Amino acid sequence: MALRRAPLTSSLHRSSPLLLDFLAPSALRQTSRQYNSTASKQTAVAGHNPDHASHSGSSKPKYVLSPQQREFMNSALRVNQAGELAATLIYTAQTPQVVRSHPHLRPLMKHMYDQEAGHLSTFNNLIAKHRVRPTAMYPVWEMAASFLGWSTGAMGREAAMACTEAVETEIGSHYNEQVREILSWQDEAEKRGEELDDELKDMLATFRRIRDEELEHLDHAVENDAKEAQPYDPLVNVIRLGCRAAIKISEKV
């Protein structure tokens, strides 16, 4: 992969509006169709009426999400937004220390940061579009992510990359679970002669794309000696455990 050399500071300065959008997304000013409202209207008006046709031109009726499925989607968006916020803060704290000793890593750190900033912007917009409450743990995750980034950066390049490996392992696995869940709905819809709402199809594609980019970061970390970090196993295991705990908490809180 060819990465352009560019000043990292310009990227980091752009993070400020993204962080502000976490709690007060500018997308709230937009009027958009919601997967929740689509499902609610179909349930109230047509139930699972096979005669209810798609507005996109398909002759198939739309699959109606249950309350539990809508709650799953709300929880997924809340967790994903929080996770992407944490990722941008980790890279922001790590980068100055890593590139000071290893200037050749500046383009890679910028590349990974910019992708995470893009992910955060995506979920800020989706949170606003679907009127999902962001996690109330925002201040805690903000401090924890910044400390994790700073401390692993201070430990050196290998520890910083081990941090990326651990975080992306858990995040990639979590995105996989979300993708599998939505695919199970798609299978169920096909058995009924129905199809997913266009909004859900787009969201499925977004989750897959972001998952693949996160796993790309994991590969970059391993290529840059993540496994040479000392102590590798305790460091990675603690970070992975913390990520799993943060995911579970953010799903509900």
Side-chain angles (χ1 to χ4, degrees):
M1 176 182 298
L3 299 176
R4 291 187 300 106
R5 177 176 293 274
L8 184 65
T9 52
S10 63
S11 173
L12 298 184
H13 286 320
R14 291 199 298 272
S15 69
S16 182
L18 284 174
L19 301 184
L20 293 176
D21 267 357
F22 183 93
L23 294 177
S26 58
L28 280 171
R29 297 192 293 270
Q30 302 173 359
T31 301
S32 304
R33 183 170 59 83
Q34 303 176 41
Y35 65 82
N36 281 354
S37 62
T38 301
S40 300
K41 288 177 183 176
Q42 288 184 356
T43 302
V45 177
H48 291 282
N49 186 350
D51 296 326
H52 187 83
S54 163
H55 292 294
S56 64
S58 170
S59 60
K60 291 183 179 181
K62 294 300 183 184
Y63 180 75
V64 180
L65 295 186
S66 69
Q68 292 78 13
Q69 289 169 327
R70 292 197 298 274
E71 179 54 36
F72 175 88
M73 290 306 306
N74 291 347
S75 176
L77 293 179
R78 180 163 50 249
V79 169
N80 294 350
Q81 184 200 31
E84 300 302 342
L85 170 70
T88 62
L89 293 171
I90 289 172
Y91 283 126
T92 297
Q94 281 181 341
T95 297
Q97 301 176 89
V98 172
V99 301
R100 186 179 302 121
S101 301
H102 304 276
H104 69 285
L105 289 179
R106 181 183 297 273
L108 176 61
M109 298 299 288
K110 180 183 185 302
H111 169 71
M112 294 193 292
Y113 171 87
D114 285 347
Q115 283 192 323
E116 299 294 3
H119 301 167
L120 177 57
S121 179
T122 294
F123 285 113
N124 283 346
N125 289 333
L126 287 171
I127 281 278
K129 186 175 187 180
H130 299 294
R131 303 299 191 265
V132 176
R133 172 185 58 79
T135 178
M137 297 294 290
Y138 163 79
V140 176
W141 299 156
E142 182 181 27
M143 289 187 294
S146 296
F147 176 76
L148 178 60
W150 175 84
S151 59
T152 54
M155 292 172 66
R157 172 181 65 96
E158 294 85 355
M161 293 298 170
C163 174
T164 294
E165 178 191 355
V167 170
E168 301 297 13
T169 297
E170 292 301 321
I171 295 301
S173 176
H174 193 63
Y175 276 119
N176 265 334
E177 292 173 4
Q178 294 173 354
V179 167
R180 283 196 295 267
E181 181 67 16
I182 300 175
L183 286 175
S184 74
W185 304 347
Q186 182 172 275
D187 290 342
E188 183 179 352
E190 290 175 355
K191 291 176 182 177
R192 295 180 181 179
E194 301 171 352
E195 66 177 357
L196 295 183
D197 184 273
D198 290 343
E199 190 76 31
L200 271 175
K201 292 179 182 178
D202 290 343
M203 208 171 294
L204 176 60
T206 296
F207 285 11
R208 280 172 154 165
R209 173 182 62 80
I210 292 178
R211 174 202 61 192
D212 292 345
E213 290 176 354
E214 301 290 3
L215 294 178
E216 174 196 314
H217 298 175
L218 190 159
D219 291 339
H220 288 317
V222 173
E223 291 167 1
N224 284 276
D225 299 329
K227 298 189 183 299
E228 299 301 318
Q230 296 296 329
Y232 173 78
D233 287 331
L235 178 64
V236 169
N237 289 339
V238 167
I239 294 173
R240 291 186 62 178
L241 180 62
C243 288
R244 288 196 293 269
I247 287 170
K248 291 298 182 185
I249 294 170
S250 296
E251 285 176 344
K252 303 297 182 184
V253 180

